[in-house]
């Protein structure tokens, strides 16, 4: 296999220390070349989903995203895109915006939207893409 093919090979990140195993048939992340696609994360712990305020749930989801990125060889500053689903966008966006302004510098591109429902009754779900320079 030529070197460039090895560099573009996919790596599947299935188990990450500190990240609870998903009951769904997914990888925590898939790395394709210098890009890492991180699956949606909720406020979950080893014992399961833990409800909280939107900020608390978002903080836990971002903590999991950062752990997964690190396990794949990426840093927080490598995150270039974040997708955040809310079950109540109007109520929860201000709290999550405040958190994001503390977590990122520079700010990644972002999509936000309201979902009718999230697994386990969660308020927030976060997924991300990271890219190495």
């Amino acid at each position: 296999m030529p070197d460039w093919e090895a560099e573009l090979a996919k790596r599947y990140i299935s188990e990450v220390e500190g990240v609870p195993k998903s009951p769904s048939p997914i990888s925590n992340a898939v790395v394709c070349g210098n890009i890492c696609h991180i699956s949606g994360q909720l406020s979950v712990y080893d014992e399961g989903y833990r409800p909280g305020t939107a900020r608390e749930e978002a903080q836990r989801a971002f903590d999991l995203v950062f752990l997964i990125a690190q396990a794949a060889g990426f840093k927080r500053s490598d995150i270039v895109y974040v997708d955040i689903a809310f079950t109540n966008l109007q109520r929860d966006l201000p709290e999550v915006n405040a958190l994001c302004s503390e977590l990122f510098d520079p700010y990644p591109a972002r999509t936000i939207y309201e979902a009718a429902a999230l697994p386990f009754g969660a308020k927030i779900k976060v997924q991300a893409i990271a890219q190495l320079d």
Side-chain angles (χ1 to χ4, degrees):
M1 176 183 311
D3 287 343
W4 64 269
E5 285 181 343
E7 289 179 22
L8 295 178
K10 293 182 185 117
R11 287 189 296 128
Y12 294 86
I13 311 298
S14 299
E15 294 186 25
V16 176
E17 187 174 334
V19 176
K21 185 159 176 47
S22 174
S24 300
I26 63 167
S27 294
N28 286 313
V30 177
V31 178
C32 301
N34 67 339
I35 298 175
C36 180
H37 300 268
I38 301 168
S39 292
Q41 301 298 311
L42 304 169
S43 179
V44 293
Y45 296 80
D46 288 336
E47 66 275 7
Y49 167 70
R50 186 181 300 167
T53 66
R55 183 184 176 99
E56 290 166 345
E57 288 194 24
Q59 179 68 63
R60 177 60 177 168
F62 276 113
D63 289 346
L64 295 173
V65 163
F66 299 149
L67 280 171
I68 294 165
Q70 183 179 17
F74 294 78
K75 302 181 302 276
R76 180 184 305 198
S77 60
D78 294 327
I79 294 176
V80 296
Y81 176 78
V82 173
D83 182 297
I84 307 173
F86 295 79
T87 54
N88 190 325
L89 185 60
Q90 185 174 356
R91 178 193 67 207
D92 297 334
L93 181 59
E95 284 183 54
V96 176
N97 272 343
L99 175 64
C100 287
S101 70
E102 296 167 17
L103 294 177
F104 293 103
D105 184 22
Y107 301 132
R110 183 176 82 171
T111 299
I112 59 172
Y113 57 94
E114 187 168 287
L118 293 171
F120 312 115
K123 292 178 182 71
I124 305 290
K125 180 187 77 163
V126 177
Q127 58 192 35
I129 298 173
Q131 181 177 358
L132 296 173
D133 292 332

